[in-house]
């Protein structure tokens, strides 16, 4: 018998060749591995959302092994004594079972819920990044739209999940949702009856929410994420302007190995953060809320944070009802219709249209692959600040009873402050953001023309004092340089142009040794004054 | 109507007498006049009653038991300025305490609400001025004067209670104001339902029995004594129970959770992204 010699080191390569022979994967894979990711922290915000979603899928699947969405009445006999013997729905009972009698169940429930909050928070922060840097401009409008849809899908998914355990808080939320649906003119009662299979609460709603929560919406989100990422690969990343960066290239790290290593690390950090939150902070203690009963409405009944702004808009809305007659029938539009149907409608449509509106008003039909600094587009920055302020006022008002109680403010005062604030603060925010942007722009131009303030005061022989400026480029006879603003940050401190000992790299501990101090030639200008500045 | 309003109306009435019929009466004036007449009639009846009945204190004092007598001494030192002689109330300063019973007094005194130091939206809980014994003496005194609801004896009003039953009752009757986690909540116009964190068994029982200020009275026909003890058992159990899920965030629901996700979750991960993006 002859022993075949196997070269172990060549095995993977040989296997890969065999695979490539059949599937011709090398070319597309090479392309994928070579995809370049820009290296700026703000590009990682979207990844937080992506990774929280993966955590949601994992933990959610675990929960689904034990959760039972049935609304059948049962008596609780589990190990949480304060609820033993209480009548409740099977759904609530199984959530309690999951929390107290399944090993690791409470931890995974908490992970699932924290991941949901993080998912939505990351979507918002990511969206703000995209908005304020103009990354949504042509050709990326479609991805902006996909992003907005992702937000609303996450919103829906979170709301369905929040309603599943059938505790008093989620029941209160469902009750409000049914009131909102009922408030829609003409079709409201029909839609509500179809959703709940009759009168609220009926006995089918949990089953429907469940299938929506574990299948339909996650499927939709997954599809949207796929489109989102596919578009990203196709259209390539935007990037910040900078040396060598143009509208036609992307500078950064390659997918493999640089980015892959980083992003795996980042996934682990997101996972760890969620696990940490779940281990340290209690979330949604359903055993305190008790089973849902129509008569139970606790103080501090709030939805999760991403729904809270709608709660706030409802709290601020004055109780205005509109009554009218149509074709011999009397109709009434209750006050909740405006803050909970019309407002979210506007909040969906306006952002969806924003890229097109902006292009229309700026008459800008170009492709853009370079980002803009918020200060360079004061109008958009102002509008964004306005929207954020509007949202924040609603958000804070959504928790106004808790805030009023804990900070000893009158609840009525909070409501009125919210109403007035909603009208006054957004324009104010617009104005401030606009002025601040202009101020920052001007300062950039000033530094480009006059150089960096060194903080060194010189006294001339005739007794005049003046501050020494470090020019950033060649100067004319007035000491001004004619540098053009490049759309990226202008160095404003001397150590940014190499005047001081260069900072040693390394986040927690130095990863390099300090170079021998031999003053390097200044990279940007001949800098005649350098000697004085760095004398030590 | 507070006593202060009455006084204002009476002055209006006197003024009206002087300027009678000089101008036609408006609706408001007619109302003021009617109100003034009512006040006058009440004052007349009250005066007659006071004049015709023998002086209450003169007869009551000798019949007071030992505790009640000591209570009266305390009362005359600390409470009389606002609640008046024989707890009949002083207009504009404090209400009459007749008929409130020892339960109300014990609640107000042991939670430190009385003696009141400052008029606000509502009397707040503060460190008590009197010991529990003194509070009981004060209660005995008020009880002797006008009768009213009393607390059952003993400091332990929870171990006979059924926690699960109490939880159900608590969520239906109390959570609307005190919140599911007993952390309290805001009511309208700067008033609030306090946290139950410090309340003792007796104070909770008394609060239900007497309904201080904006809290409704839960008399024995609404919540039987057994049901009251069930509720107390639930609340005390909740307070002694550790949060199974970690730090409880004040059991205030989704509002603090929202703070945590941004201030801890997002902030931490942004720092992480700075770190990761910075390492090329
Ligand atoms: C974007 C994705 C998702 C979001 C935002 C989300 C959100 C939520 C929320 C807020 C809850 C209430 C949790 C609690 O009890 O405290 C929940 C419950 C639940 N989720 Fe999800 N979820 C998502 C994806 C999934 C997936 C993919 C599955 C399963 C395959 C799943 C299965 C469940 C189950 C079974 C429950 C009920 C568990 C219980 O409360 O006892 N979720 N979800």
């Amino acid at each position: 018998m002859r022993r075949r010699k196997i070269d172990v080191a060549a095995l993977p390569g040989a296997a890969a060749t065999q695979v490539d022979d059949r599937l011709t994967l090398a070319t597309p894979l090479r392309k994928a591995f070579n995809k370049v990711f820009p290296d700026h922290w703000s590009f990682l915000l979207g990844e937080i959302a992506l990774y929280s979603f993966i955590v949601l899928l994992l933990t959610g699947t675990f929960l689904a092994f034990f959760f039972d969405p049935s609304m059948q009445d049962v008596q609780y006999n589990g190990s949480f004594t304060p609820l033993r013997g209480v009548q409740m729905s099977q759904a609530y009972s199984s959530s309690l079972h999951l929390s107290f009698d399944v090993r690791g169940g409470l931890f995974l429930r908490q992970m699932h819920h924290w991941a949901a909050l993080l998912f939505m928070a990351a979507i918002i922060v990511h969206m703000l990044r995209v908005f304020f840097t103009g990354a949504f401009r042509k050709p990326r409008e479609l991805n902006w739209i996909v992003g907005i849809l992702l937000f609303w899908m996450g919103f829906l998914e979170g709301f369905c999940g929040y309603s599943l355990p059938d505790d008093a808080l989620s029941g209160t939320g469902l009750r409000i949702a049914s009131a909102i649906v009922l408030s829609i003119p003409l079709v409201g009662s029909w839609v509500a009856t179809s959703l709940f299979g009759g009168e609220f609460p009926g006995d089918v709603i949990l089953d429907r929410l469940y299938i929506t929560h574990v299948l339909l919406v996650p499927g939709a989100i997954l599809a949207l994420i796929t489109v989102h990422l596919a578009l990203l690969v196709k259209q390539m990343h935007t990037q910040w302007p900078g040396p060598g960066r143009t509208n036609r290239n992307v500078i950064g790290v390659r997918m493999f190995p640089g980015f892959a290593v980083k992003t795996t690390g980042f996934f682990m950090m997101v996972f760890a953060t969620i696990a940490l939150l779940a281990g340290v902070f209690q979330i949604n203690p359903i055993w305190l809320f008790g089973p849902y009963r129509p008569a139970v409405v606790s103080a501090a009944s709030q939805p999760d944070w991403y729904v809270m702004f709608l709660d706030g808009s409802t709290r601020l809305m004055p109780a205005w009802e509109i009554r009218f007659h149509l074709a011999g029938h009397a109709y009434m539009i209750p006050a909740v219709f405006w803050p909970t149907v019309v407002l979210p409608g506007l909040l969906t449509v306006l952002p969806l249209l924003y890229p097109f509106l902006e292009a229309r008003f700026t008459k800008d039909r170009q492709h853009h692959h370079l980002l803009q600094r918020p200060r360079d587009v004061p109008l958009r920055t102002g509008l964004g600040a306005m929207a954020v302020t509007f949202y924040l006022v609603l958000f804070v008002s959504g928790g106004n009873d808790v805030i009023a109680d804990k900070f000893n403010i009158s609840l009525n005062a909070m409501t009125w402050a919210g109403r007035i604030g909603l009208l006054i603060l957004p324009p104010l925010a617009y104005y401030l953001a606009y002025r601040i942007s202009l101020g920052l722009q001007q300062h950039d131009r000033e530094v480009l023309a006059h150089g960096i303030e060194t903080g060194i005061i010189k006294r001339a022989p005739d007794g005049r004092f003046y501050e020494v400026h470090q020019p950033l480029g060649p100067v004319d006879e007035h000491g001004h340089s004619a540098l053009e603003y490049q759309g990226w940050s202008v160095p404003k401190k001397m150590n940014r142009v190499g005047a001081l000992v260069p900072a040693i790299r390394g986040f927690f501990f130095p990863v390099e040794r300090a170079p021998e101090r031999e003053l390097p030639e200044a990279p940007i200008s001949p800098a005649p004054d350098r000697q004085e500045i760095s004398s030590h | 109507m507070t006593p202060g309003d009455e006084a204002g109306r009476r002055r209006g009435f006197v003024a009206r007498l002087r300027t009678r019929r000089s101008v036609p009466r408006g609706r408001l004036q007619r109302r003021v006049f009617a109100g003034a007449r009512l006040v006058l009639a009440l004052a007349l009846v009250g005066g007659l009653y006071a004049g015709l009945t023998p002086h209450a204190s003169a007869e009551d004092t000798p019949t007071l038991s030992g505790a009640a007598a000591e209570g009266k001494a305390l009362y005359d030192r600390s409470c009389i300025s606002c609640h008046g002689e024989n707890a009949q109330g002083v207009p504009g300063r404090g209400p009459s305490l007749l008929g409130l019973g020892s339960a109300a007094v014990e609640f107000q005194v042991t939670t430190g609400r009385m003696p009141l130091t400052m008029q606000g939206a509502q009397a707040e809980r503060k460190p008590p001025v009197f010991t529990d014994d003194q509070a009981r003496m004060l209660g005995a005194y008020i009880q002797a004067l006008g009768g009213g609801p009393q607390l059952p004896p003993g400091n332990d009003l929870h171990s006979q209670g059924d926690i699960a039953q109490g939880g159900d009752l608590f969520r239906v009757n109390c959570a609307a104001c005190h919140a599911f986690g007993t952390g309290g909540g805001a009511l309208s116009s700067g008033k609030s339902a306090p946290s139950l964190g410090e309340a003792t068994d007796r104070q909770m029982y008394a609060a239900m029995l007497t309904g201080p200020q904006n809290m409704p009275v839960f008399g024995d026909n609404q919540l039987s004594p057994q049901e009251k003890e069930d509720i107390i058992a639930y609340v005390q159990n909740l307070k002694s129970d550790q949060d199974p899920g970690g730090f409880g965030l004040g059991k205030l629901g989704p509002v603090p959770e929202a703070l945590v996700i941004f201030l801890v979750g997002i902030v931490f991960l942004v720092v992480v992204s700075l770190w990761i993006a910075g390492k090329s």
Side-chain angles (χ1 to χ4, degrees), chain A residues 421-432:
Chain A
L422 195 63
L423 298 180
I424 290 185
L425 292 180
L428 198 69
Y430 175 85
Y431 178 76
L432 284 179

Side-chain angles (χ1 to χ4, degrees), chain B residues 54-71:
Chain B
H55 245 298
S57 63
E59 284 203 346
D60 278 356
T61 322
T63 62
L64 286 179
S65 68
E70 283 181 67

Side-chain angles (χ1 to χ4, degrees), chain A residues 215-450:
Chain A
L215 184 72
L216 300 181
V217 183
I221 293 182
L222 212 54
L224 285 170
I225 290 182
T226 314
V227 174
H228 202 67
L229 297 184
L231 279 172
L232 181 79
V233 172
K234 173 99 183 65
Q235 299 177 329
M236 299 203 296
H237 264 90
T238 52
Q239 63 182 338
W240 288 106
R245 299 177 176 199
T246 72
N247 237 335
R248 276 190 305 277
N249 67 2
V250 185
I251 294 194
V253 285
R254 288 196 192 290
M255 171 79 186
F256 207 82
F259 184 76
V261 170
K262 280 187 179 209
T263 205
T264 315
F266 196 48
F267 172 57
M268 289 177 179
M269 288 306 283
V270 173
F271 199 115
T273 308
I274 295 170
L276 193 79
L277 285 170
V280 174
F281 298 107
Q282 173 168 292
I283 188 168
N284 203 20
I286 50 168
W287 53 92
L288 291 179
F289 308 146
Y292 176 61
R293 306 264 153 83
V296 174
V297 179
S298 168
S301 284
Q302 256 92 12
D304 272 350
W305 77 262
Y306 43 88
V307 188
M308 226 179 265
F309 74 103
L310 288 185
D311 199 330
S313 65
T314 316
R315 288 169 191 224
L316 295 188
M317 180 76 194
W320 292 334
E321 286 179 1
I322 298 178
R323 291 166 188 281
F324 60 93
H325 286 266
L326 195 75
H329 294 281
Y331 288 98
M332 193 265 281
I333 303 184
V336 293
F337 177 64
W338 308 105
T340 57
V341 181
V342 175
L343 180 78
L346 282 177
L347 290 185
T348 320
V349 173
L350 275 184
L352 282 180
L353 293 182
Y354 185 82
F356 306 102
L357 292 177
E358 191 188 280
R360 194 184 170 96
F361 281 104
T362 56
K363 305 207 170 43
D364 180 354
R365 302 269 181 277
Q366 304 292 312
H367 278 228
H368 294 281
H369 302 291
L370 289 180
L371 297 176
Q372 287 170 310
R373 303 175 81 198
R375 67 183 63 175
D376 294 334
V377 202
L379 189 79
R380 183 200 296 143
T381 307
L383 286 177
M386 196 160 151
V388 169
T389 315
F390 185 83
Y391 179 87
L392 279 181
V393 173
L394 291 183
F395 179 55
V396 170
S397 300
N400 63 6
D401 62 327
V402 174
I403 297 172
D405 190 43
K406 295 309 154 208
F407 295 97
N408 270 326
I409 309 168
S410 154
L411 183 56
N412 304 41
M414 280 286 297
T415 306
W416 275 102
R419 286 175 181 164
I420 297 169
L422 195 63
L423 298 180
I424 290 185
L425 292 180
L428 198 69
Y430 175 85
Y431 178 76
L432 284 179
Y434 198 97
R435 300 308 308 180
I436 290 173
S437 301
L438 289 185
L440 289 171
Q441 266 186 34
Q442 192 179 10
H443 190 235
D444 282 349
R445 305 303 191 280
E446 245 169 51
V447 171
L448 285 174
H450 299 274

Side-chain angles (χ1 to χ4, degrees), chain A residues 53 56-57 60 67 95 98 109 112-113 116 157 161 165 213 221 284:
Chain A
F53 182 65
L56 281 166
L57 289 177
F67 178 74
S95 292
L98 179 53
R109 244 196 76 229
H112 190 69
H113 207 133
E157 177 74 350
H213 184 75
I221 293 182
N284 203 20

Side-chain angles (χ1 to χ4, degrees), chain A residues 110 262 280 282 298-299 412 507, chain B residues 175 180 183 189 245 247 275 279:
Chain A
Q110 301 207 134
K262 280 187 179 209
V280 174
Q282 173 168 292
S298 168
N412 304 41
F507 206 85
Chain B
F180 52 80
S189 308
F247 176 47
W275 174 49
K279 284 189 89 75

Side-chain angles (χ1 to χ4, degrees), chain A residues 39-41 44-45 48 82-84 86 100 106 110 114 117-118 121-122 125 262 266 269-270 273 277-278 280-284 287-291 293 296-300 302-303 305 308 395 399 401 405-406 410-412 505 507-508, chain B residues 163-164 168 171-172 175-177 179-181 183-190 192-193 234 237-238 241 243-249 251-255 257-258 260-262 264-266 268-277 279-280:
Chain A
D39 226 355
H40 190 265
W41 65 271
L44 292 175
L45 297 174
I48 304 181
L83 283 170
R84 278 183 94 145
V86 174
F100 294 111
L106 180 57
Q110 301 207 134
W114 280 119
L117 298 199
L118 186 66
V125 205
K262 280 187 179 209
F266 196 48
M269 288 306 283
V270 173
T273 308
L277 285 170
V280 174
F281 298 107
Q282 173 168 292
I283 188 168
N284 203 20
W287 53 92
L288 291 179
F289 308 146
R293 306 264 153 83
V296 174
V297 179
S298 168
Q302 256 92 12
W305 77 262
M308 226 179 265
F395 179 55
D401 62 327
D405 190 43
K406 295 309 154 208
S410 154
L411 183 56
N412 304 41
R505 292 199 305 136
F507 206 85
F508 295 117
Chain B
I163 294 177
D168 255 358
R171 288 186 290 268
V172 173
C177 298
F180 52 80
L187 305 175
S188 61
S189 308
S192 63
Y234 175 74
N237 176 65
L238 196 63
D241 227 18
D243 283 316
F247 176 47
L249 301 174
K251 298 192 185 111
L252 291 174
V255 173
E257 292 164 9
V260 167
I261 199 62
F262 280 97
V264 180
I266 288 289
F268 180 72
L269 283 171
V270 164
V271 172
V272 170
S273 353
L274 280 167
W275 174 49
I276 287 195
K279 284 189 89 75
S280 17

